[in-house]
Amino acid sequence: MQAEDSNPPDGGYGWVVVVSAFMVMGLTVAVLKTFGLFFVEIQQHFDELASTTSWITSVTIAVFHLGAPVASSLCVQYTHRTVVITGGLLAFSGMALGCFGLNMVWMYATTGFLQGLGISFSWTPAISIVSHYFSKKRALANAIASAGECAFAFMFGPFFQWLISQYGWKGALLIIGGIQLNICVCGVLMRPPASSCLLEASHCEAETPPGNSASRREKEDKPPIMHKTFNWMLVRRPEFLLYAIFGILAAMSFFVPPLFLVPLSYSLGIDEPWTASLLSILAMVDFGGRLLCGWYANLRVIKTIHLLAMTITLISTSLMLLPLASNYLSLAIFTGFYGFFFGTTVAIHITVLADVVGMPEFDSALGLFMLIRSTGGFVGPPFAGLIVDMAGDYRAGFYMAGATLVLSAGFLIILDRLQQRKKRGRKIRTRPEMSTLSYPSLHILKHQ
């Protein structure tokens, strides 16, 4: 079993950190999720194909993932607070420069690359520091923090639509960039927990009373809780690799439905205000799914990895059914099912990662996981866009996403089998040791 972070508070100032992370999730991933409202506007402005326009989102997602190990490494060397503030400035720069809209390459570089890097430098340390503040309540804390993207996406749907109608898509990008500067404020509130290795060794020594040599000696004798350098060797662990493959396949699917939901709605003849409401419905049920699943996972009724496999299967089922919609009501119902099960998945997938690698390796594992998963996020939207262009129907993208998720669930099952087999192996190896220790004890008791 992996060692845990030493005495995480499981409350107190940790809830301030959770609220800050909640805000960061909303100002980063929620913007990415509702970017589909800009999809048609940008496509028509530059007169490009769906596959070409979708590369903006693809670049954002890819850089979001690729920047994660860099963000994790910077968190180890400096502080989570510093990295989050940097991310807020980068996110603002991406949107502010993107409003010039010079050409598609410019959009890839600004709204794609800079925005993606800003999201990465904000999201990665925000979700990481929450896990360091909580142990027993980690699943619930992560669920609440991640729910920020849903709460904000619920508001951003109609709000972004209004901004586009009032100021055009370029003006809307500039205003959204200004709103994202609030990420810096959230970063200021993210101080490292006193009991965590997030503090530098010098800080920990400074907290030790000068006269308390016993406490100082005890701290020196204890091994370091976490590595001070980024651990790239996690890629050699089969459990981590299996979970990373699951992440690749899941990322290929997760960003496709929000991207093509708006165009699918338009193709069914649904008006713009009703289309924007679909994104609000998606965010609302997503929010409920995260909180409910986080609460249920915290009860520890079943293993978290089993719960994740179940939710992934339910997402794929809902994606296969969503293209059957023929009007607003049926589309809203299927969107609701998809959003709820998506929320349950996102609420616990980071918690499962912590369970797989343990907290001492969590920062490195999170960065590597996001890096490896980036291939799925990079390939998924353009691949789905290519399928849509070939089929001439936005429904094809949803079928592709559903089928890929079914495949990803298989790797979770393989991972669980591997963990169970290793656990049984450890029990078998410890039994002979326990037996040899018990014989002398029985002999002593017999002669007393």
Side-chain angles (χ1 to χ4, degrees):
M1 186 175 177
Q2 300 292 338
E4 290 291 328
D5 205 357
S6 66
N7 302 320
D10 257 321
Y13 191 80
W15 294 116
V16 176
V17 174
V18 168
V19 173
S20 300
F22 179 93
M23 297 288 292
V24 171
M25 299 301 112
L27 295 171
T28 54
V29 185
V31 173
L32 180 58
K33 288 178 67 174
T34 50
F35 197 77
L37 290 168
F38 290 88
F39 186 89
V40 175
E41 300 289 335
I42 295 175
Q43 183 181 6
Q44 291 178 349
H45 178 82
F46 293 106
D47 191 24
E48 296 285 356
L49 295 172
S51 56
T52 305
T53 309
S54 65
W55 274 102
I56 298 175
T57 302
S58 180
V59 170
T60 308
I61 296 169
V63 176
F64 169 29
H65 290 78
L66 289 169
V70 180
S72 294
S73 180
L74 290 173
C75 287
V76 173
Q77 295 180 32
Y78 301 100
T79 62
H80 291 65
R81 174 185 290 166
T82 303
V83 182
V84 172
I85 293 173
T86 304
L89 295 174
L90 287 170
F92 163 73
S93 301
M95 286 297 193
L97 293 173
C99 75
F100 290 103
L102 302 180
N103 49 51
M104 286 302 294
V105 176
W106 178 263
M107 298 305 296
Y108 297 155
T110 57
T111 312
F113 181 82
L114 281 179
Q115 179 67 196
L117 196 61
I119 292 174
S120 182
F121 276 38
S122 305
W123 185 93
T124 308
I127 204 68
S128 172
I129 197 171
V130 169
S131 294
H132 283 287
Y133 262 96
F134 293 86
S135 176
K136 294 179 181 178
K137 300 177 182 177
R138 185 175 295 146
L140 180 61
N142 278 327
I144 294 173
S146 69
E149 68 180 76
C150 314
F152 277 74
F154 178 78
M155 299 180 291
F156 282 171
F159 179 56
F160 286 5
Q161 189 75 62
W162 179 80
L163 285 178
I164 293 171
S165 65
Q166 293 295 315
Y167 304 101
W169 67 269
K170 294 182 179 181
L173 287 181
L174 180 61
I175 295 171
I176 294 167
I179 294 173
Q180 286 183 306
L181 280 174
N182 287 286
I183 294 171
C184 300
V185 180
C186 298
V188 172
L189 297 173
M190 292 181 177
R191 73 184 188 201
S195 62
S196 173
C197 57
L198 296 177
L199 291 172
E200 295 293 334
S202 58
H203 295 175
C204 294
E205 290 173 4
E207 289 175 0
T208 305
N212 195 346
S213 59
S215 298
R216 185 184 298 273
R217 189 162 52 250
E218 183 182 348
K219 286 189 176 183
E220 289 174 357
D221 292 339
K222 287 185 178 180
I225 300 168
M226 291 181 67
H227 298 289
K228 286 190 175 294
T229 57
F230 195 85
N231 184 10
W232 295 92
M233 293 300 101
L234 283 169
V235 295
R236 294 183 177 182
R237 291 176 56 175
E239 297 93 334
F240 176 78
L241 280 178
L242 286 170
Y243 197 72
I245 295 173
F246 153 76
I248 293 173
L249 295 172
M252 285 184 64
S253 309
F254 281 168
F255 295 98
V256 171
L259 184 63
F260 292 118
L261 183 60
V262 171
L264 175 63
S265 176
Y266 288 158
S267 70
L268 295 175
I270 299 173
D271 295 334
E272 286 188 6
W274 290 104
T275 297
S277 71
L278 287 174
L279 297 178
S280 297
I281 292 171
L282 185 65
M284 182 173 60
V285 295
D286 187 351
F287 182 84
R290 294 182 191 223
L291 294 183
L292 181 62
C293 191
W295 166 79
Y296 183 74
N298 205 58
L299 297 178
R300 302 184 181 183
V301 177
I302 63 173
K303 289 177 64 176
T304 316
I305 192 170
H306 293 170
L307 186 59
L308 181 60
M310 290 169 56
T311 59
I312 287 290
T313 304
L314 290 170
I315 291 179
S316 61
T317 304
S318 62
L319 284 177
M320 293 293 189
L321 294 174
L322 193 145
L324 300 178
S326 58
N327 52 46
Y328 174 79
L329 180 60
S330 58
L331 187 59
I333 292 173
F334 288 129
T335 298
F337 280 119
Y338 161 74
F340 180 81
F341 295 127
F342 177 83
T344 59
T345 297
V346 176
I348 57 174
H349 81 290
I350 295 298
T351 303
V352 173
L353 176 62
D355 293 340
V356 169
V357 300
M359 283 310 300
E361 305 287 359
F362 178 70
D363 282 331
S364 297
L366 181 60
L368 280 174
F369 177 73
M370 296 295 291
L371 172 64
I372 297 172
R373 197 177 73 166
S374 66
T375 55
F378 187 71
V379 172
F383 182 58
L386 179 61
I387 292 176
V388 167
D389 288 336
M390 292 174 61
D393 192 341
Y394 287 107
R395 293 180 176 87
F398 293 91
Y399 289 128
M400 166 263 173
T404 307
L405 278 176
V406 171
L407 184 60
S408 73
F411 284 91
L412 288 178
I413 296 172
I414 296 172
L415 171 58
D416 182 54
R417 295 279 180 86
L418 176 62
Q419 288 180 318
Q420 289 181 7
R421 189 171 65 220
K422 287 193 172 184
K423 187 177 180 180
R424 287 194 299 267
R426 285 194 297 267
K427 286 182 178 179
I428 293 172
R429 286 195 299 271
T430 55
R431 279 174 188 170
E433 296 175 6
M434 293 175 64
S435 300
T436 54
L437 287 172
S438 63
Y439 290 145
S441 303
L442 289 172
H443 181 73
I444 292 170
L445 288 171
K446 191 181 293 183
H447 287 78
Q448 283 181 344

